[in-house]
Amino acid sequence: VGAAYADGPITAPLVLPSVTTLGVQYEFTDSFRMTGDVQWTDWHSLKSVDIYRDNAARTQVAHESFEWEDSRAYSLGAEFDLSEAFTLRGGLSLDQTPTQDAHRTPRLPDNDRRIFTVGMTWNVSDTLSIDAAYMRIQIKDPSIATTSASGSRLVGEYSGNANLLGVGAQLKF
């Protein structure tokens, strides 16, 4: 293995995108609320990730370029208090991918997503509450057609989704 891959410190400078969010909430009644938001992410600022060996020559050991576009996400949610003890929640989000077919890589075969959520809070007492939530993420099946630096070609399609379940408790004292 060459000196560039020997043990030792490395750096990988990274400029992350800015995110701007506009959100609103409206209380229709004392027990029913809706929220909505729009989020803009400036992915064009993420040009590449370059990894350098921290040696006298500052040797570059890896380069991953991105051709990402800015994206938007839209969300709508509702919350309903069944009683002082129980609150139900639900929501929907549409999230655009910053990746495009021409520049998609197998490291991140991302695409547009639809996100569905349901949840609830149970206020057991004035000091104890229990929350539970479920989220389903459906990813539009992305395709890939790329050529590596060595000239090999990768063509294919991906599919994916995620199911997330969370349970938490809060104790106030």
Side-chain angles (χ1 to χ4, degrees):
V1 177
Y5 299 102
D7 286 345
I10 63 167
T11 59
L14 181 63
V15 175
L16 295 174
S18 64
V19 178
T20 304
T21 303
L22 173 64
V24 296
Q25 176 175 315
Y26 186 77
E27 191 170 307
F28 290 90
T29 68
D30 288 343
S31 61
F32 179 66
R33 295 159 296 285
M34 289 192 74
T35 59
D37 69 46
V38 178
Q39 186 175 72
W40 296 268
T41 305
D42 296 322
W43 285 111
H44 72 274
S45 64
L46 179 61
K47 302 291 185 195
S48 66
V49 175
D50 299 305
I51 300 174
Y52 297 95
R53 161 73 51 220
D54 285 340
N55 54 22
R58 195 164 191 247
T59 308
Q60 184 175 358
V61 295
H63 171 82
E64 179 82 21
S65 69
F66 299 97
E67 298 284 338
W68 288 2
E69 296 180 0
D70 296 347
S71 66
R72 288 176 301 282
Y74 308 92
S75 299
L76 185 64
E79 187 174 66
F80 181 70
D81 299 324
L82 289 174
S83 66
E84 287 189 25
F86 288 99
T87 300
L88 300 178
R89 295 177 189 85
L92 167 68
S93 181
L94 304 173
D95 189 8
Q96 293 177 330
T97 183
T99 65
Q100 305 305 312
D101 289 348
H103 304 289
R104 189 171 288 122
T105 71
R107 292 185 182 173
L108 186 62
D110 191 33
N111 210 344
D112 295 342
R113 291 167 295 285
R114 291 183 297 172
I115 303 167
F116 307 91
T117 60
V118 293
M120 57 85 53
T121 297
W122 174 27
N123 294 309
V124 179
S125 68
D126 289 341
T127 59
L128 176 65
S129 64
I130 298 172
D131 295 290
Y134 168 74
M135 176 187 289
R136 167 76 175 181
I137 303 172
Q138 293 179 327
I139 303 168
K140 183 179 175 186
D141 292 346
S143 61
I144 190 168
T146 188
T147 303
S148 72
S150 66
S152 61
R153 185 107 172 110
L154 176 62
V155 176
E157 292 185 5
Y158 295 84
S159 64
N161 61 64
N163 295 293
L164 307 166
L165 182 62
V167 177
Q170 182 178 13
L171 181 62
K172 299 174 192 173
F173 51 93

